[in-house]
Every structure is written in structure tokens, then in C-alpha cells.
Amino acid sequence: MSLDTTAPVEWQGSILYVDAHDSFANNIVALLETTLGVHVTIVQINAPLPDLPKVLASFDAVIMGPGPGDPSKSKDFELFKRIWEMAERDYVPVLGICLGFQSLAIRYGATLERLTNPKHGIITDIHHCEGFIFDQLRTFDVTQYHSLRVKIKHPIEESRRLLRPIELWNWKRLWSSTTTCPDLQPLAWDVDDSENGGVLMALKHTELPFWGIQFHPESICSSRDAIKVVVNWWLQAVEYNDTRGRSRTDGCMSMDTLDRNDIFGLPRDFSLLQRAAHWKSLLPSGPVPPAYSKPKRPAPRKVRTAKLEAGYLRVTDLCEELGTLASQSILLESVVSRPEVGRYSIIGLIVPDDTQILEHKTGESFVDITIAKTEHSNELVRKHKLGAEETMWDFLADHMEKRKAIGGSASSPFWGGLMGYLSYESRAGMNGCNESCAANNPNTGSNTAFADVERSIVLDHLKGKVYIQSLKSHDGEWMKSTKAIVKKLVVKAQVIRMTPEQVTSVLGHLPQQYDKLTSESELRMCKHVIDQERFGVALDFAHIDRPKEEEYREKVRRCQEHIRAGETYELCLTDQAVVILPKDSLCESSWQLYKALRHINPAPFAAHLRVSGATIVSGSPERFLSWNRDGVCQLRPIKGTVKKAPGIDKHDATQILSQPKEQAENLMIVDLIRHDLHAIVGAGKVEVKKLMSVEEYQTVYQLVSVIEGRLPELTSTPNPISNPKSNPKPEAKPNQTPRTPPNAKKRQPQPQQSPTTPFTGYTGLDVLHSAFPPGSMTGAPKLRSCALLHTLEHHQPRGLYSGAIGYMCAGGGGDFSVLIRCAYRHDNEVLTTHASDGRKVEMEIWRVGAGGAITALSEDGAEWEEMGAKLDSTLAAFVAGAGLTEKQKLVKEVIRRMRAEHLELLS
């Protein structure tokens, strides 16, 4: 039997999915729910399940999913083994995918060996028997993620010659069992790689309802026919159950009972808002809480907005005129605009003695709520004690719900709200590595810090508008004074671009303010050069400690050993340089660094942040996650880099980035992100809008993908245990009749919902939590990769590098970039040394990270070069005079004496 998958499937079924801690599981679940119309319950592979037959009796079929590891060696796969060894009366149809496929094979006599050439994110075509689960299908492309191969002692496995055409082989023999594995029938082979020989891609048990496939049908690059394989398997599973009179025994263990069991963890559709409201009742011993009803909240704040023309206004000029550098501040700037990103720049003003700051350090059981005081310190207001099951993320969700706003301009993405950062270690639970990282370096400050910004300025570079905004109820004076500052700067920016003759021709006369405006511009330029000169003095005494080449290359080789052993598919290895330079009380080094970095490496997600003792300067090209007020979420991973060099244009870069290694790097992260997004938005609501497109930046070409999903509507839902996010019901095409397999169970009417109006409460923060840390900085599978990287990187915290910086708007929406191409420091990390005359000299410590994705196809030398190129693009900002224009360099000569005098004082 087969099925036309363009038509919706109109039957109801129930599948148990065994998740082996993989980062693609939600993609498989989405495929099942949208294609088969079944309900899927996920159980972790380490779940105890004491009465397994009773559990399995509640399901029509089981899928054993992919994951890292070797099922022939580890006790972590005990649940797989228990399912294969059930008594005959308890048999249930099972499909093993990748790891599950390997587990089935070794249970019936096969062995596992390492592939000569591991296949991770590699797309190949497979040849199959054209029957069973491959009924009515031809040769098609699939995505493979595996380092280990199943061997059943078939002659084609040992061939090391060019295998094609496969028709030269005895067709019947290709699909026959071997004497070593008489219970297993091969169904498909991969013969693309002569070094690997023929690799088994699918099999079935000759008598029992067990099937297995090595490839990943859910991958975005697998053919549509790969999905039809799953459909064919389901049809055969239904037929098996019907032939033997097997039906689900809902009375033994209903879906609600199973999902409530603490071995399954928290219900997968609990939002952060639900957790924040019910974390005490979520303990396993407590009852399942009812659907979350929206509690009473304070009335939303009203946004006050003034809209002005931006003209040629420069964001940096506005920051300096506002005096934000004298205190804590946040700037998210689009230095360069692109068709899809870089439209807005946002200034978040942190008002001393007024602005609230939220801080948390991973591993601690409280959130500090402080009030901003000076550039360097905050005053503690209170500590919010986190409950036993409560997390910092729950607290943030509850805080945002209480502090909503209305009435802002729809054209402004940010009206006020939280602005700040998340360090790489902000999400606890990555196999314990985050807590130990935080404990390993107690002087790194908060892992998470957000300012509750009530005054903000947004520049729309596309439409040339400035939005001055306040969430304060009585803030007319500030609005008025800020409007005057903006208008003055707009006029100045316009006038200094014109000669006196041009001004006269436009206005008919030369304004009296012309000389004043132009002289002010010259003074500002001189001040910038002087500040750069002062900072240049400090840089003359800077010490840069770079990663060591042989150490990094050895780490790359160790990464590849983990990959070859099947422990992971891809590892995003990083390292950091440390820059130590004298502090200068007369010059704010971070602002000079930022202006140099934005000049050297203009980027759509640049940032300058001074919050709670942390300082960040960033020239990031990569959006991590954005969501708008309509609930559309977007992730834009960058993976695959070519350094700009003479003779290399975009065409050349595209050719290089089309190589299997580069494509595989990007594909693995795209599939990982789809998994993260599916976890929140549900099945059938994730779309890859752009796949592996080459984009040009100042110093590199990079491979970019765009993945989008829409948050569930905040409307009535069934009991949250039953996974309301998905409920996929594909619409039938006009004049098309759904095809239903014989004896399939018809979909029953859904039970009536509760008369109360529950609230799912999903926001972009749920997606941020699900997807963090950024997959482009971890590898896949994420949990295993984080644990391996923690060891490979010598248990050192990455800190702010590899984290995220951005905002969450009080009116909905948010945008975060990945903290790469950045430098950061903490005020409490200071090195004290002594000058030759015995004076104490304080040195500030900056950290600059860089890295790259390591795959089976990586070369350690090339990876070292790539990491170094990324590192240099940021370290260039620490070179004296970086970021000066030609005119400013001329002015620089005028103030050489000041530099010499300052050098004498420092020495």
C-alpha cells in the first residue's frame, strides 16, 4: 500500500516517540503529526517505564529516534533493548531512525563499525528494493547524520571499487538476508562513496513488525519521497495491528495519565508564563494544574511618542550629545542596512536613581532587582527568591507580563521594555556545564542582565524617521528637551554636508548659525581624534594573549574524534584572546573601541552596552532571534565563512561555500533550529524562508539561512497536557478526496473544551529559551555538544561571547543578535600592576572570542586560519588609530604633542 501525501490523512492514531536526547526530535514529531495526523507522545530514552507492556499497549506504534552515541556499548540505550526484547504477545509496530535503526540491527546479529568517511549533513541518493516501506518509490535524495554503519556481512559492504551502476549487482541478492543476520532483510543501500563501500540504509525484520532507516526523513534537504517512506511504514503498522486484532487499550494507560507521569517531565506545551504562575504545583507529587487562566495584571502603560525627520542624523552623534556615555547605557545600532535586516537603531536610556536592572548569575537561586546608580554600580532593591522549580526565564516572562505597554507607533519595533544580554551560560541545565562554568570564574559578573528601559529613541533608517518615546506618565520635559537636541543635530548634519554656496542657493541666504554649526562639527571631530589618541596611548601599553595554534588544532582533531565515534554530528569550537590595557580615567575606552569597530567592521547588529558592570562592544552580523507583534519568529543562523582577499569575489565565495563541508555545517544548524522552533510553535508552523544563501560583509562572505515560525494564537485551547500547539489539520485541496487506508480508525470528534478560557501564554521569550544558546555556537545535538565543548574548552566559561544581546518590547516583539565579532569586559575583573616608579596601575581586561564549526570534513589548519580571521576582525579595533577617517588622520598630526605628553605621564 502507499498513500498520496498531497492529500490530508484523515485517521487518528497514537505514536510513542523515544527521544535519545537528539536535536532533531521535534522535526520528526512535526512530520508525524502533519503527515499522518497522529498524536505523538515523547518519552526520554532514560525514562524508567517500569511496566513497559502496559505503556506500549496505549499506542498504535513506536518510533525510536536518532541521537548521539553507540547503542552497542552504552547502557544509556536500555529502553531500546527492552522494546526489542518484548514478549510476542506485547509486540507493537516499531520504526527505528538512525540510532534506533542501529539498535534494531545489533539486536539481531549485526555489528557496528565506524564509517571511513562519516556522513553528517551529507546529502546522497539511495537505492532501494521498491517494495515494503519503499513501495511505489524510485531512487531519491536523503540527508544522513551518522558516523557508525550497520554491517550484516553482505558482499556489497566490502566493495571498495566504484559501485555504480548498482544494476550490475544481482538484484535479488541485494535484498536477501545474510547468514550472519537471517532475521534482517536489507531494503536500501547507499553506494555513493567507494571508500565506505555499500552502506545499509534500511531494513526490516523478516517476521516481526520492526523496521529501520539510517537516514533522516525529517531533514529540510531530504526528498519528499523520504517522507513517503514514513507514510508507507505507518500504513504497514496499521495493517499489522488490524490483521492481528490489536487495538490501543486506552483504559490501561490513557494519554493524560501517561503525560502526567513524572518520568515524562513537565508537559511540553507549558509556556514560561504557565510555569511562572504554577511552578509550585508542577512538582511531580502535585496535581496537574488546570489550563492557565490569565491573572489580573496592572493596567498597561501608555507610550508617549514624538516622531521627527532623521535627515542625516548619526546615531553616535546623538549618543554623545545626550551624554549617555557618562552613565550606563545601551545602543543597538544598524551600521549597515540590508534588505531583511539593519533597518533600526535603538538607544535605551538608563536613568540613574530610576531605571530598574534585573540581574542573575547561573546557579544562584535568586534574581537581583537593582536601581541604576552610576556608571559602575547599582543599588540593590530586593532579591527575588526563585522557587524549587522556578527559573530566571520564568521570572522574566512574569515580569514582562506585568509591565506591558500600549499606544506606541506600529512603525517602531521598540517602545520600551527590557534591553540587555544573556551570556552563553545563561541557560542552566546543559549537562551541568553552565553551573560549573559560572563557579569556575566568580568575577565574571551576572550571566543575565536586563535594564527595564522607559525612555528610548529609535531611528528608522529605511524611512528616515526618529521616534522619541517614554513610558513614564509625566515626562514632558524630557520629551521636549530631547526633541530639541534631535532637531539641532538633524540641522547640523544637513548643513555640514553643504558648502556656503549650496546653503545660500537653497535658503536664499547664509544663516547666522552656519559658522557656529560648522565649527561645532570641527570641534566634535577634534574631540573624537583626541579621545582616540588618548586611547591609543593605552593601546601602546596593551598586551594581547592570543590562542596557541597547536593547542587549537589539537582541539579540532579531538572534536573530529568525537564525531567519528558517533558522539556528536558537529561541534562549534571556540577560543578567546585576552587584551590587557591600562585604564584611563580621562577616556571611556569602550566607546572608542566601539567607534573603531563599527568603522572597521560595519554590521547590521552592532551594539555598545554598559550595564551592571559589564561592557560589550559588538559588530555582529548574525541575528539570533526576532519576533514581531504578530507572533512571527525568525532565526538567521550564519555558518560557513570565506575571508575576503584579493581575487576573491562573491562568485568565488559562492563556489567555495557550495562545497559539501560548508553546506553540511549550515544544514545541521538549520535542522537544529527547526527542532528548537517546533518545540514552541508546533507542527506545520515552521518554514525555511532562505536556505544557504551567500551574503557579503565588510571582511568576509558568509552562508546564511532564514527560518520562521508563528507563535500559537492566544486563544482557548484544550487541557495543556494534550499538546494544543500542533493539532495539525491540513486542508484538502479543491476537488480532492482524502485517501484512507482500509480499516484505519476514523478521526473521532474532539472533546468539548473547558468553559473557562485558558491562556497558552506563548511569547517570543519561550522561543528564546527553547533555542538558547544559539545553535550556531554549539553544534548538534545541542546537549551533547555543549557537554563535549565544555571539556574541550578546558571547563572555561565563554561568558558573554556566544551569548545574545537585544531587547524585549513591552508592547510585544523582540530582537536578539548573537554575540560574535565582539569584545567584552567586567568592571570587577581588574589587574593591578606597578609602574617603574612604584605607582599602582590598574589594567582592564578585555576578552575577544572566535571559533568555527568542526565537522568530519574539517581540516585543522583551515579551521585555525578561519578562527584567526574572525578574531582579527575584532582585534583590529585595538590598534591605535583604528576607525579614523582620512580627514581625522590629518587632524591627528596637529595633536601629536598631546600624545607625547600623555605618554610621558603614563611611563
Side-chain angles (χ1 to χ4, degrees):
M1 292 182 295
S2 187
L3 183 70
D4 179 3
T5 56
T6 60
V9 183
E10 290 293 329
W11 71 88
Q12 182 176 355
S14 178
I15 290 177
L16 179 66
Y17 183 87
V18 182
D19 180 13
H21 306 299
D22 195 52
S23 287
F24 304 145
N26 291 328
N27 299 336
I28 298 175
V29 171
L31 183 156
L32 298 171
E33 291 180 337
T34 56
T35 306
L36 306 181
V38 296
H39 180 280
V40 181
T41 297
I42 300 177
V43 61
Q44 297 301 314
I45 194 171
N46 56 347
L49 293 180
D51 193 348
L52 184 60
K54 185 177 180 180
V55 171
L56 298 185
S58 302
F59 298 92
D60 295 304
V62 175
I63 287 185
M64 296 184 179
D70 182 343
S72 67
K73 297 179 179 179
S74 176
K75 294 181 180 180
D76 295 339
F77 308 106
E78 190 65 26
L79 182 55
F80 280 2
K81 183 179 178 182
R82 290 175 62 199
I83 291 176
W84 300 131
E85 295 176 351
M86 290 182 299
E88 183 176 355
R89 65 179 181 276
D90 299 320
Y91 285 150
V92 58
V94 181
L95 175 65
I97 299 177
C98 197
L99 187 74
F101 159 84
Q102 294 170 0
S103 174
L104 169 61
I106 62 176
R107 169 64 183 86
Y108 291 98
T111 58
L112 285 182
E113 293 182 4
R114 292 187 179 187
L115 286 166
T116 304
N117 296 323
K119 304 275 190 177
H120 291 290
I122 302 299
I123 304 163
T124 62
D125 58 355
I126 61 171
H127 298 267
H128 54 76
C129 64
E130 301 181 6
F132 304 106
I133 59 176
F134 294 95
D135 187 34
Q136 298 185 27
L137 299 177
R138 297 295 181 185
T139 299
F140 55 88
D141 291 338
V142 298
T143 303
Q144 299 185 45
Y145 288 108
H146 64 114
S147 297
L148 307 178
R149 61 179 296 172
V150 166
K151 297 197 75 172
I152 59 173
K153 294 290 183 70
H154 194 287
I156 198 173
E157 296 171 339
E158 305 306 322
S159 175
R160 292 296 183 270
R161 61 182 176 82
L162 186 63
L163 295 169
R164 286 183 173 175
I166 196 171
E167 289 77 15
L168 295 179
W169 287 81
N170 183 296
W171 187 255
K172 183 178 180 180
R173 189 177 183 185
L174 281 173
W175 319 119
S176 298
S177 301
T178 63
T179 55
T180 303
C181 302
D183 296 321
L184 299 178
Q185 179 178 350
L187 302 179
W189 297 95
D190 170 16
V191 294
D192 271 358
D193 191 327
S194 59
E195 290 190 37
N196 283 329
V199 179
L200 188 62
M201 285 287 107
L203 56 76
K204 66 179 289 291
H205 194 283
T206 54
E207 296 182 4
L208 305 181
F210 301 155
W211 296 262
I213 54 177
Q214 177 66 79
F215 57 88
H216 283 243
E218 82 288 352
S219 172
I220 191 63
C221 284
S222 284
S223 164
R224 180 70 180 172
D225 282 347
I227 299 175
K228 292 181 181 179
V229 171
V230 178
V231 174
N232 285 341
W233 163 78
W234 173 248
L235 294 175
Q236 294 194 25
V238 169
E239 184 178 37
Y240 174 89
N241 288 337
D242 183 68
T243 302
R244 286 155 183 77
R246 182 184 181 277
S247 60
R248 284 186 288 118
T249 53
D250 293 330
C252 291
M253 182 169 287
S254 68
M255 299 310 307
D256 285 351
T257 302
L258 191 57
D259 275 349
R260 288 174 185 173
N261 196 310
D262 63 339
I263 62 177
F264 290 85
L266 299 179
R268 59 181 171 131
D269 39 343
F270 259 46
S271 69
L272 291 172
L273 277 175
Q274 288 171 295
R275 288 178 51 88
H278 295 289
W279 62 265
K280 288 183 179 179
S281 62
L282 289 178
L283 295 173
S285 58
V288 175
Y292 172 56
S293 298
K294 207 171 184 179
K296 291 183 179 180
R297 298 292 192 190
R301 297 167 291 174
K302 173 70 175 177
V303 185
R304 288 157 180 80
T305 306
K307 184 168 74 170
L308 304 173
E309 295 294 326
Y312 294 102
L313 177 64
R314 295 198 309 178
V315 180
T316 50
D317 289 346
L318 181 54
C319 288
E320 292 170 353
E321 191 72 24
L322 290 169
T324 60
L325 306 180
S327 62
Q328 300 182 69
S329 62
I330 304 175
L331 167 63
L332 306 176
E333 185 183 11
S334 294
V335 182
V336 59
S337 296
R338 294 184 171 278
E340 298 178 4
V341 295
R343 176 175 174 179
Y344 299 101
S345 293
I346 301 173
I347 302 171
L349 291 105
I350 299 178
V351 183
D353 299 316
D354 186 70
T355 300
Q356 191 175 87
I357 312 288
L358 311 177
E359 303 176 54
H360 180 257
K361 193 163 186 175
T362 301
E364 294 186 347
S365 60
F366 52 83
V367 176
D368 284 340
I369 301 171
T370 64
I371 293 295
K373 298 299 289 184
T374 66
E375 178 185 0
H376 303 285
S377 65
N378 299 325
E379 180 180 307
L380 182 66
V381 175
R382 67 183 177 92
K383 287 180 177 289
H384 172 84
K385 176 68 176 176
L386 296 172
E389 296 289 334
E390 190 179 12
T391 69
M392 175 273 298
W393 299 85
D394 305 328
F395 173 82
L396 290 177
D398 187 60
H399 180 89
M400 289 298 296
E401 181 67 14
K402 292 176 181 176
R403 305 273 291 169
K404 288 190 172 182
I406 58 173
S409 170
S411 298
S412 173
F414 181 74
W415 301 342
L418 295 185
M419 297 182 74
Y421 67 81
L422 297 156
S423 79
Y424 176 77
E425 289 79 30
S426 286
R427 183 172 176 191
M430 291 295 180
N431 290 347
C433 65
N434 290 340
E435 290 85 346
S436 60
C437 275
N440 207 28
N441 192 349
N443 294 323
T444 54
S446 299
N447 294 104
T448 303
F450 283 98
D452 197 340
V453 173
E454 294 184 295
R455 290 175 176 172
S456 60
I457 301 173
V458 174
L459 278 76
D460 184 339
H461 300 291
L462 179 64
K463 294 189 176 181
K465 303 295 181 183
V466 180
Y467 298 90
I468 302 169
Q469 303 161 133
S470 176
L471 294 176
K472 292 176 171 291
S473 55
H474 304 288
D475 212 15
E477 283 301 315
W478 177 80
M479 296 282 290
K480 181 179 178 181
S481 63
T482 305
K483 284 171 62 178
I485 290 172
V486 171
K487 287 180 178 179
K488 173 186 171 183
L489 290 177
V490 169
V491 171
K492 184 186 297 185
Q494 177 67 29
V495 169
I496 63 175
R497 279 175 163 74
M498 303 170 68
T499 64
E501 293 75 16
Q502 289 173 324
V503 175
T504 303
S505 65
V506 173
L507 301 180
H509 66 284
L510 191 64
Q512 294 180 350
Q513 301 95 330
Y514 178 78
D515 289 338
K516 181 181 178 182
L517 290 174
T518 54
S519 63
E520 284 181 357
S521 174
E522 296 296 325
L523 286 173
R524 182 182 297 278
M525 181 183 66
C526 288
K527 182 179 183 304
H528 172 65
V529 174
I530 291 170
D531 287 342
Q532 284 284 5
E533 282 296 297
R534 290 186 182 278
F535 184 47
V537 172
L539 292 177
D540 285 338
F541 289 87
H543 170 73
I544 300 179
D545 185 13
R546 298 176 64 100
K548 304 298 187 291
E549 179 176 358
E550 187 48 45
E551 288 182 9
Y552 190 82
R553 294 177 68 168
E554 174 59 25
K555 290 177 186 176
V556 172
R557 293 189 288 269
R558 289 174 60 195
C559 285
Q560 291 183 302
E561 178 58 27
H562 286 301
I563 293 170
R564 284 191 289 269
E567 293 298 319
T568 184
Y569 315 147
E570 174 181 35
L571 288 167
C572 296
L573 181 67
T574 72
D575 211 329
Q576 295 193 21
V578 177
V579 183
I580 303 174
L581 63 149
K583 294 186 68 174
D584 185 350
S585 60
L586 299 177
C587 173
E588 171 45 52
S589 62
S590 68
W591 186 243
Q592 307 310 318
L593 270 177
Y594 174 69
K595 290 198 290 186
L597 184 61
R598 71 188 293 279
H599 176 79
I600 297 166
N601 191 26
F605 298 104
H608 176 266
L609 175 146
R610 292 278 292 119
V611 172
S612 299
T615 302
I616 301 171
V617 296
S618 173
S620 176
E622 181 176 354
R623 167 176 283 159
F624 171 37
L625 166 68
S626 70
W627 65 94
N628 63 24
R629 297 185 181 106
D630 294 326
V632 176
C633 303
Q634 182 190 90
L635 295 99
R636 284 184 110 252
I638 291 177
K639 195 54 66 180
T641 303
V642 174
K643 183 179 179 180
K644 280 190 170 180
I648 296 181
D649 59 16
K650 188 173 182 180
H651 175 76
D652 299 320
T654 301
Q655 293 295 109
I656 296 171
L657 293 171
S658 297
Q659 297 301 310
K661 173 191 176 295
E662 308 296 338
Q663 299 275 306
E665 281 186 23
N666 199 283
L667 172 58
M668 282 186 263
I669 302 307
V670 169
D671 281 341
L672 183 153
I673 285 174
R674 292 171 58 235
H675 161 88
D676 289 338
L677 199 48
H678 271 129
I680 302 302
V681 306
K685 300 182 180 71
V686 175
E687 182 179 0
V688 178
K689 306 289 285 189
K690 181 188 291 187
L691 184 61
M692 293 182 270
S693 175
V694 177
E695 291 185 356
E696 181 177 359
Y697 293 87
Q698 188 79 1
T699 58
V700 294
Y701 297 97
Q702 300 205 285
L703 204 57
V704 181
S705 294
V706 179
I707 305 97
E708 291 186 356
R710 182 179 291 275
L711 291 168
E713 298 290 337
L714 302 184
T715 55
S716 297
T717 63
N719 185 301
I721 299 300
S722 61
N723 189 26
K725 298 190 303 294
S726 304
N727 194 24
K729 295 181 180 180
E731 295 290 335
K733 294 184 178 180
N735 304 318
Q736 192 172 40
T737 303
R739 296 176 58 186
T740 305
N743 305 315
K745 299 174 183 178
K746 298 293 183 180
R747 187 181 297 278
Q748 300 299 316
Q750 297 296 316
Q752 293 295 313
Q753 297 175 5
S754 166
T756 62
T757 303
F759 177 65
T760 59
Y762 290 107
T763 69
L765 184 57
D766 288 275
V767 179
L768 186 65
H769 174 255
S770 173
F772 197 85
S776 60
M777 302 308 298
T778 63
K782 186 179 285 187
L783 286 176
R784 180 63 63 89
S785 294
C786 285
L788 293 173
L789 288 167
H790 178 51
T791 301
L792 288 163
E793 295 175 4
H794 304 308
H795 307 280
Q796 292 298 311
R798 291 186 181 180
L800 304 186
Y801 172 69
S802 296
I805 186 171
Y807 69 83
M808 290 179 277
C809 177
D815 202 347
F816 284 82
S817 64
V818 182
L819 278 170
I820 54 176
R821 314 293 194 276
C822 69
Y824 73 91
R825 68 177 174 89
H826 292 280
D827 287 347
N828 59 1
E829 192 176 18
V830 176
L831 177 66
T832 302
T833 186
H834 292 83
S836 57
D837 60 1
R839 289 180 297 107
K840 285 186 177 180
V841 179
E842 286 192 339
M843 312 287 282
E844 57 188 35
I845 300 174
W846 288 88
R847 300 181 184 276
V848 180
I854 311 303
T855 71
L857 298 176
S858 296
E859 296 178 0
D860 58 349
E863 293 298 333
W864 164 254
E865 293 294 330
E866 179 181 328
M867 187 277 289
K870 293 174 180 176
L871 199 62
D872 289 341
S873 69
T874 303
L875 287 176
F878 288 88
V879 175
L884 293 178
T885 64
E886 289 303 317
K887 187 175 182 180
Q888 289 168 343
K889 288 177 181 177
L890 292 175
V891 176
K892 178 178 178 179
E893 297 300 322
V894 179
I895 56 173
R896 280 293 183 183
R897 285 179 299 172
M898 180 182 297
R899 176 181 172 88
E901 179 181 342
H902 202 64
L903 274 170
E904 184 178 342
L905 287 173
L906 274 179
S907 62

